[in-house]
Amino acid sequence: MIDTKTLTQLGAHVETPQSPEAAVLETVPFARGDGPPAIVRFTCPEFTSLCPVTGQPDFAHIVMDYAPDTLLVESKSLKLFMTSFRNHGAFHEECTVMIGRRIVAATKPLWLRIGGYWYPRGGIPIDVFWQTGAPPEGAWLPDTGVAPYRGRG
């Protein structure tokens, strides 16, 4: 059984953080074991942030894959972190890379990739990709499952 005494958000009523900077990404231990590394996927199909110029909402489908080493992202803290972007004004590229870097800082994974599939702004969809390096040898990397833009539906 994992000791959850250090977790402050799981099982508790927690308000949405006011900003991504204020959000706390919590972790739990992970025993990697032998063989190829596991790939963990988080998908956020209804991600929202704000345009830093107009203040209008922007929407994206975010897919994060990572190969954990000794720590996993605790999913409730990740949900709160992702939700904190709803009042955050930043361009698509900054939001996508910021998410990846925060997960890397919290978990120190063997590898991480993130894809931000943004719905059109001004008629142009913007897709943003970032990863920490080459994927680990032997890891199974599924397709992201997000089709090229055709209405994203």
Side-chain angles (χ1 to χ4, degrees), residues 44-127:
C44 186
E46 298 176 347
F47 181 83
T48 58
S49 64
L50 299 176
C51 171
V53 177
T54 67
Q56 295 296 309
D58 286 322
F59 302 91
H61 184 136
I62 306 284
V63 178
M64 301 161 273
D65 292 321
Y66 76 106
D69 188 12
T70 61
L71 296 171
L72 298 171
V73 172
E74 191 283 310
S75 63
K76 181 175 180 180
S77 73
L78 179 65
K79 291 173 196 173
L80 290 165
F81 171 61
M82 299 297 280
T83 303
S84 74
F85 280 86
R86 289 188 176 161
N87 295 316
H88 180 71
F91 290 113
H92 303 332
E93 297 84 351
E94 181 184 340
C95 287
T96 305
V97 174
M98 176 191 255
I99 294 165
R101 286 188 173 146
R102 283 289 303 275
I103 294 171
V104 167
T107 65
K108 297 169 184 45
L110 301 172
W111 172 82
L112 177 137
R113 76 174 174 190
I114 183 168
Y117 302 86
W118 293 83
Y119 290 81
R121 180 195 288 170
I124 299 173
I126 299 173
D127 295 341

Side-chain angles (χ1 to χ4, degrees), residues 15-50:
E15 297 293 328
T16 299
Q18 293 298 307
S19 69
E21 295 81 11
V24 176
L25 280 174
E26 295 187 323
T27 61
V28 294
F30 176 68
R32 204 163 60 109
D34 296 331
I39 300 296
V40 177
R41 172 170 289 169
F42 289 107
T43 304
C44 186
E46 298 176 347
F47 181 83
T48 58
S49 64
L50 299 176

